[in-house]
Amino acid sequence: MELTGTIEEIIFKNDDNGYTVAVLSYMEDKCINYVTITGKLPDIHVGECVKVYGDYTNTKYGEQFAFFDAEITNPVSLDGIKKYLSSGLIKGVGPVTAELIVDKFKSSALEIVEFSPEKLALVRGISKNKALGIHDSFNEIKKMQNSIMFLQKYNISINMAIKIYNTYNDKTIELLKQNPYRLVEDVKGIGFLTADRIAVSMGIQKDSDFRIRAGFIHTMEENSEKLGNTFLYKDMLLKANAKLLGLDLNNYKEKFLIILDGLGNDKTFSCFRNDAGIEIVMTTSHYFTENSVAQKLALLNITSVNDGANVGDEITLFEQINKIKFDLQQKAAIENSIRCGVSVITGGPGTGKTTIIKCIINILEQHGKKVLLMAPTGRASKRLSESTSREAKTIHRGLNVTLRGDHVYYAYNESNPLDADAIIVDEVSMVDVSLMSNLLKAIKKGCKLILVGDKDQLPSVGAGNVLDDILKSELFSVSYLTKIFRQSEKSLIVLNAHAINNGEMPLIDNSSNDFFFEAKEDGEAIKETVIDMVVRRIPNFSKTEPIKIQVLAPLKAGVSGVESLNEQLQAKINPASMKKQEIVLGKYTLREGDKVMQTVNNYDLIWTKQNGNVLEEGCGVFNGDIGYIHKINYSSGETTIWFEDGRECVYTRTDLSELTLAYAITIHKSQGSEFDVVVIPIISGPSLILTRNLIYTAVTRAKNMVVLVGSRKNLRRMVANSYTVQRFTMLKEFLLHANEKLKLIYD
């Protein structure tokens, strides 16, 4: 059945998916009736008139009208028209102006606004320009609401629908009916599956050129975002796309090749043969990004000026002052970093990387050089700053990243390089090819670049395999640190980390004071033990607050996965209370006091930070940043987050979808971080994921204590599993090409 009436009150609205609970007034038998309606509506306001299609249902809140479809209509009563015009929706119309318009035109008021705006100038206080402005505002709202309601039929969220409308404006419905697959290319965040769902409902054929093209783009993006690849072999791409589309490649290969050629001709893809003569395909963006990284690294290295300074005396003096003794590996690392244009220092925990960095900084500053310290994440930069007693910034912050429209802008770039003679980047294994490209663009000629990290950590979350490709190119000075220095008598963290990295079982007899193993076989028992460790046992043992203990889980899903653990840990550590505000976001709830993590880069968010007597302000919160919910204003949806590096940021209700609970996080998300205490569930699962370098990465995130919970059998499997996912990248090949070309110029 259908009801047509006026929105009198909005009880609840989910700004992300449009789910709305509202009070609707409607006429029946010449009487005004009121009913609570529930369903998905666009950005609707009190006073608007809607027609809803659904049926009455009995709920614990009483009788409600649950609707499955709706459309915006113009109100017909004079009171309804006044209420709609004065709702604040239409620019230039308030209660007084709305009253004057309705008094003048009666029931024709909205028709005048929509079709004869020049007549509005007959109303006192409305000029011709204002009349046109009211007309434009009214029509814009109608078009946007119609477009959003069209998109909501395909389960597209309100926020994404608005983003789509902002891309196509009043042509949204027309363009998408012609080719919904254009969403894949035009609107960031819309994937192939969403576009395909719309297309299928419109009757577009499975072998449509539009669909095949969109499939290629989706396949390339999926491989980049989920697997870190910057290219695919042509044959592999053809097979993957055929599988995605559900088409027989034997029957459609010729058509596939024609469309793939078209993607190359319009510069969406770059298709060529690699040095082995095999046809490969890259997105043009990745082609230029990896080439840019290769050329700039090679140029920095080959044009480096070695002043011939012998730093042996400076190293000796640093040793005397700090009462330490460098071994030959460490001394070579220091000397090479100061001598070369690009150098790499790589080693596991306890091998002295931090002390080496401090010595390099000391010597460079004695030579009058300006040194900048950077790291990929806030936690990593904070740790680097604390260990060196120097300011360290995230790479994003160091480059002063902002968002202009839909484009990310780096204030420091080729036209405005960083004022530095040397840049040291820690945790470089986390740096993806895009971030490295933007960093290199901001480095001036003659500046030294010193890359520090652990080659055995997991690769970057983003596309590329920068550190590995640099090492394999063999073009740069690389110092491999193997000797362990930081190791107290009763500590096992460093020793066991190196044992794992060497494929050996760690010592798990619980004889140390910082490395423990609790044997559990069943998934439910593992989960319950992890929770008990965090909530009760470890706090009693080490006096560490539960919220400061970090659970690192191999998987998101499952009994002992991140999602399940977060739900349980939140209930124990930060339970619901009348004193705490909270907001429900889909499957989980955020409440004041919760530990949360940002899950995507958001360059728009403004933050403030108290630095002594100075209040700093900047923008940008990034994937992996961890903080705590300080305050929630439920009525406005504004939520204040205190991040661990001291930044304070206010999130709107829309931005909250980018946060997730962080009592437990995946091991991948922990890269570059260091936590006082780490608890790791050791579970069974796919061998492609549960690998040696995954457990190695988890263990090396701990500063003071590691607790493993699970079975010895599964731990042994992980340690023995040396499988690493091969990433398809071209950086090594591009580096070798760039170096050969530059040698012709500079030799």
Side-chain angles (χ1 to χ4, degrees):
M1 62 183 297
E2 68 180 59
L3 289 179
T4 300
T6 303
I7 299 293
E8 298 291 342
E9 180 187 356
I10 295 175
I11 299 171
F12 172 79
K13 185 169 184 61
N14 185 317
D15 289 328
D16 185 49
N17 62 23
Y19 180 78
T20 302
V21 180
V23 175
L24 183 80
S25 66
Y26 64 98
M27 291 293 294
E28 188 174 74
D29 297 331
K30 297 183 180 180
C31 294
I32 298 177
N33 294 283
Y34 298 90
V35 65
T36 299
I37 61 172
T38 62
K40 288 186 177 181
L41 284 171
D43 191 18
I44 201 160
H45 297 73
V46 170
E48 290 196 86
C49 195
V50 298
K51 182 183 288 186
V52 291
Y53 302 87
D55 215 336
Y56 287 98
T57 59
N58 289 312
T59 73
K60 64 179 180 180
Y61 302 107
E63 189 176 62
Q64 297 181 343
F65 188 87
F67 63 90
F68 59 86
D69 199 4
E71 59 184 81
I72 308 293
T73 65
N74 287 338
V76 291
S77 71
L78 295 186
D79 282 344
I81 295 170
K82 284 180 185 178
K83 189 178 288 186
Y84 174 67
L85 287 173
S86 61
S87 65
L89 271 173
I90 302 168
K91 292 178 183 177
V93 181
V96 174
T97 304
E99 184 92 27
L100 292 170
I101 292 173
V102 175
D103 286 348
K104 180 73 175 176
F105 301 111
K106 303 298 188 287
S107 61
S108 300
L110 294 180
E111 190 177 326
I112 295 295
V113 171
E114 186 170 3
F115 300 110
S116 305
E118 68 280 356
K119 293 182 181 179
L120 289 174
L122 298 173
V123 176
R124 177 166 50 87
I126 299 181
S127 65
K128 287 184 179 180
N129 284 339
K130 185 174 181 179
L132 289 174
I134 292 170
H135 164 77
D136 290 342
S137 179
F138 178 86
N139 282 343
E140 180 67 23
I141 290 163
K142 296 273 285 186
K143 289 171 185 173
M144 181 177 74
Q145 288 178 330
N146 288 335
S147 296
I148 290 173
M149 294 191 78
F150 167 79
L151 291 165
Q152 278 194 285
K153 292 177 182 177
Y154 305 104
N155 292 321
I156 294 175
S157 71
I158 289 286
N159 293 330
M160 187 55 72
I162 291 171
K163 191 172 182 180
I164 292 169
Y165 181 79
N166 289 337
T167 302
Y168 302 127
N169 298 310
D170 59 349
K171 295 187 182 299
T172 298
I173 297 175
E174 175 191 346
L175 291 175
L176 295 187
K177 282 184 174 178
Q178 291 173 3
N179 174 21
Y181 292 105
R182 64 185 303 147
L183 287 168
V184 177
E185 298 181 63
D186 296 344
V187 184
K188 188 171 179 59
I190 291 284
F192 173 82
L193 298 180
T194 300
D196 203 38
R197 188 170 63 243
I198 297 172
V200 168
S201 69
M202 292 179 179
I204 293 177
Q205 296 300 307
K206 286 182 68 175
D207 62 353
S208 156
D209 287 8
F210 294 139
R211 187 168 188 258
I212 295 170
R213 176 187 172 93
F216 276 127
I217 293 170
H218 172 78
T219 301
M220 291 295 290
E221 289 179 348
E222 281 282 287
N223 270 270
S224 169
E225 293 171 7
K226 294 188 176 180
L227 300 177
N229 296 326
T230 60
F231 81 84
L232 282 179
Y233 293 106
K234 186 175 180 179
D235 286 347
M236 185 184 292
L237 175 59
L238 292 170
K239 291 175 184 176
N241 197 33
K243 183 178 180 181
L244 172 71
L245 303 179
L247 297 173
D248 187 336
L249 183 58
N250 293 325
N251 296 333
Y252 286 96
K253 188 167 186 178
E254 185 176 346
K255 188 172 186 177
F256 273 35
L257 290 172
I258 291 170
I259 293 171
L260 187 56
D261 285 343
L263 283 161
N265 292 334
D266 67 15
K267 307 300 182 187
T268 302
F269 289 169
S270 293
C271 309
F272 57 98
R273 292 183 183 273
N274 63 11
D275 287 353
I278 303 172
E279 289 184 288
I280 68 169
V281 181
M282 302 182 77
T283 64
T284 301
S285 171
H286 279 139
Y287 175 82
F288 283 118
T289 300
E290 285 201 307
N291 256 308
S292 174
V293 170
Q295 291 167 18
K296 293 184 184 306
L297 280 173
L299 187 63
L300 276 176
N301 197 49
I302 210 163
T303 59
S304 172
V305 177
N306 181 7
D307 58 13
N310 185 345
V311 296
D313 292 341
E314 284 99 329
I315 294 174
T316 301
L317 181 60
F318 183 87
E319 290 175 315
Q320 292 171 350
I321 293 172
N322 292 276
K323 297 181 173 57
I324 59 170
K325 186 68 178 176
F326 290 121
D327 72 353
L328 293 178
Q329 283 182 340
Q330 294 175 310
K331 286 182 179 179
I334 297 166
E335 291 169 353
N336 291 337
S337 298
I338 292 169
R339 175 176 55 84
C340 300
V342 178
S343 57
V344 180
I345 301 170
T346 181
T351 54
K353 295 190 297 293
T354 299
T355 309
I356 288 170
I357 291 172
K358 289 167 72 173
C359 183
I360 291 169
I361 295 169
N362 182 273
I363 293 172
L364 287 170
E365 289 181 343
Q366 284 185 33
H367 287 216
K369 306 294 185 183
K370 184 172 181 179
V371 183
L372 294 184
L373 304 181
M374 294 186 183
T377 66
R379 273 182 166 269
S381 63
K382 183 181 179 183
R383 192 172 77 246
L384 181 60
S385 182
E386 290 170 348
S387 63
T388 60
S389 301
R390 300 285 200 288
E391 182 185 25
K393 296 181 178 180
T394 64
I395 298 174
H396 285 102
R397 193 173 165 211
L399 298 179
N400 196 5
V401 181
T402 55
L403 191 68
R404 295 184 178 179
D406 286 334
H407 299 287
V408 178
Y409 174 76
Y410 293 80
Y412 290 100
N413 49 46
E414 288 167 310
S415 302
N416 181 36
L418 293 160
D419 180 21
D421 300 302
I423 296 175
I424 300 175
V425 181
D426 197 14
E427 295 286 358
V428 73
S429 63
M430 290 183 64
V431 180
D432 61 40
V433 71
S434 177
L435 187 56
M436 179 59 78
S437 173
N438 285 295
L439 173 61
L440 289 167
K441 287 176 183 176
I443 297 178
K444 65 184 180 182
K445 185 179 178 181
C447 178
K448 296 185 184 299
L449 179 62
I450 302 161
L451 306 174
V452 184
D454 185 344
K455 67 178 179 62
D456 297 311
Q457 296 282 355
L458 293 169
S460 60
V461 174
N465 207 4
V466 175
L467 178 58
D468 193 55
D469 285 337
I470 287 173
L471 296 176
K472 286 178 178 176
S473 74
E474 299 182 348
L475 295 176
F476 308 97
S477 167
V478 180
S479 300
Y480 294 94
L481 306 176
T482 56
K483 186 175 179 181
I484 302 173
F485 292 89
R486 178 170 57 84
Q487 178 66 45
S488 64
E489 287 183 14
K490 295 183 179 180
S491 173
L492 276 181
I493 294 177
V494 173
L495 190 66
N496 277 343
H498 283 273
I500 290 168
N501 199 34
N502 292 328
E504 302 165 3
M505 273 290 282
L507 184 62
I508 51 173
D509 61 2
N510 295 341
S511 60
S512 74
N513 58 10
D514 67 353
F515 201 101
F516 302 96
F517 178 81
E518 182 85 0
K520 297 291 175 184
E521 298 294 329
D522 175 67
E524 192 66 37
I526 291 172
K527 180 181 75 173
E528 293 303 323
T529 303
V530 166
I531 293 166
D532 191 40
M533 285 285 182
V534 174
V535 174
R536 184 181 65 86
R537 292 172 62 178
I538 295 174
N540 289 342
F541 176 77
S542 69
K543 308 305 178 187
T544 305
E545 294 179 69
I547 204 165
K548 298 293 184 182
I549 299 168
Q550 188 60 58
V551 177
L552 302 181
L555 304 173
K556 285 182 69 175
V559 176
S560 302
V562 165
E563 293 170 352
S564 174
L565 287 166
N566 268 324
E567 183 181 353
Q568 296 294 317
L569 287 167
Q570 180 192 43
K572 297 282 187 180
I573 297 172
N574 189 36
S577 163
M578 295 294 290
K579 297 179 180 179
K580 299 175 187 174
Q581 290 282 1
E582 60 182 44
I583 291 180
V584 178
L585 291 176
K587 294 187 294 184
Y588 60 93
T589 299
L590 296 181
R591 69 175 59 101
E592 290 173 345
D594 272 336
K595 184 178 184 179
V596 292
M597 181 175 64
Q598 178 76 11
T599 58
V600 296
N601 290 342
N602 187 327
Y603 300 91
D604 259 348
L605 286 171
I606 305 296
W607 54 260
T608 57
K609 181 179 181 180
Q610 195 69 43
N611 195 349
N613 295 323
V614 179
L615 184 66
E616 296 181 24
E617 185 175 292
C619 63
V621 180
F622 303 102
N623 190 355
D625 287 352
I626 292 177
Y628 302 88
I629 298 179
H630 172 59
K631 186 177 182 180
I632 294 174
N633 184 327
Y634 186 81
S635 59
S636 69
E638 289 190 339
T639 300
T640 304
I641 309 294
W642 285 354
F643 285 100
E644 292 182 324
D645 60 1
R647 290 171 299 157
E648 179 178 305
C649 188
V650 178
Y651 281 64
T652 64
R653 196 184 296 269
T654 300
D655 294 324
L656 286 177
S657 62
E658 298 176 354
L659 291 172
T660 188
L661 294 172
Y663 301 99
I665 63 176
T666 62
I667 296 169
H668 281 88
K669 287 285 189 183
S670 74
Q671 289 174 264
S673 298
E674 185 177 66
F675 308 96
D676 285 343
V677 180
V678 163
V679 180
I680 309 164
I682 305 298
I683 59 174
S684 60
S687 59
L688 296 180
I689 296 174
L690 302 180
T691 61
R692 179 187 302 167
N693 68 343
L694 189 77
I695 185 64
Y696 171 74
T697 298
V699 168
T700 56
R701 298 307 90 203
K703 183 179 180 183
N704 299 324
M705 186 188 299
V706 172
V707 178
L708 307 179
V709 180
S711 74
R712 283 178 169 81
K713 179 177 70 176
N714 287 330
L715 178 60
R716 190 173 291 110
R717 282 177 178 170
M718 289 185 77
V719 172
N721 184 7
S722 60
Y723 174 81
T724 55
V725 178
Q726 181 187 359
R727 288 195 170 188
F728 299 129
T729 62
M730 285 296 293
L731 180 56
K732 175 190 169 185
E733 198 164 293
F734 288 163
L735 277 168
L736 295 172
H737 291 175
N739 188 65
E740 286 301 312
K741 290 178 182 177
L742 288 171
K743 281 169 65 177
L744 296 174
I745 299 171
Y746 288 96
D747 276 2

